Amino acid sequence: MRRRNLIEVLLVEDNPGDASVVRAVFGEAKSLNRVHHAENGLDAVRFLRKDAPYQGVPTPHLILLDLSLPGMDGRDVLAEIKRDASLRGIPVMILTSSRTQQDILRCHEEHANCFISKPEQAEDLARAVRTAAQFWLDVVTLPGG
């Protein structure tokens, strides 16, 4: 039987509607999980490094990362994560509206674990996120999870 440890998820998303869909889907998941939310790339990096005001936050087991973020974009966040020896083992799922081959290739070159282009309709986004959540939370054994 699979262990039911709490899975910490960091969602990095600036679109409130998309963030709401993702949080709702992860709330439906069979696995125990807690979703933390950063609305921009700089806050995501601060969260991951536990810089102020994020001292004492848990290290996530999984990161869901949008590419189009204000300030520091998701491409730069991904590069920061994968350059940092203490963070690079955390799986990163790219969840973005981008469909460009350049972004897909760059993210895979930066060792993203998967790349999902957001569908335009909310119900299609929920279905895609539900499938990904089931895989990452119920099938995969996450580091530290």
Side-chain angles (χ1 to χ4, degrees), residues 44-55:
V45 171
R46 287 180 181 145
F47 184 99
L48 291 165
R49 293 190 175 144
K50 302 179 189 223
D51 292 341
Y54 300 103
Q55 304 93 326

Side-chain angles (χ1 to χ4, degrees), residues 66-68 73-76 78 94 96-112 114-117:
D66 188 15
L67 295 183
S68 299
D73 78 3
R75 295 159 195 86
D76 294 331
L78 177 62
I94 304 299
T96 185
S97 56
S98 174
R99 289 172 169 69
T100 70
Q101 283 299 305
Q102 180 181 2
D103 280 339
I104 295 167
L105 289 171
R106 180 176 175 189
C107 288
H108 283 291
E109 287 169 355
E110 290 284 349
H111 305 287
C114 68
F115 190 105
I116 298 173
S117 294

Side-chain angles (χ1 to χ4, degrees), residues 59-131:
T59 299
H61 300 101
L62 176 65
I63 300 168
L64 283 68
L65 178 62
D66 188 15
L67 295 183
S68 299
L69 299 168
M72 181 182 209
D73 78 3
R75 295 159 195 86
D76 294 331
V77 173
L78 177 62
E80 286 288 321
I81 292 168
K82 296 306 179 175
R83 272 196 296 265
D84 187 321
S86 67
L87 302 174
R88 75 173 55 117
I90 302 170
V92 178
M93 181 177 96
I94 304 299
L95 183 61
T96 185
S97 56
S98 174
R99 289 172 169 69
T100 70
Q101 283 299 305
Q102 180 181 2
D103 280 339
I104 295 167
L105 289 171
R106 180 176 175 189
C107 288
H108 283 291
E109 287 169 355
E110 290 284 349
H111 305 287
N113 296 85
C114 68
F115 190 105
I116 298 173
S117 294
K118 292 179 193 172
E120 293 181 21
Q121 301 299 319
E123 62 271 7
D124 295 333
L125 175 60
R127 188 174 16 265
V129 172
R130 193 171 290 113
T131 300

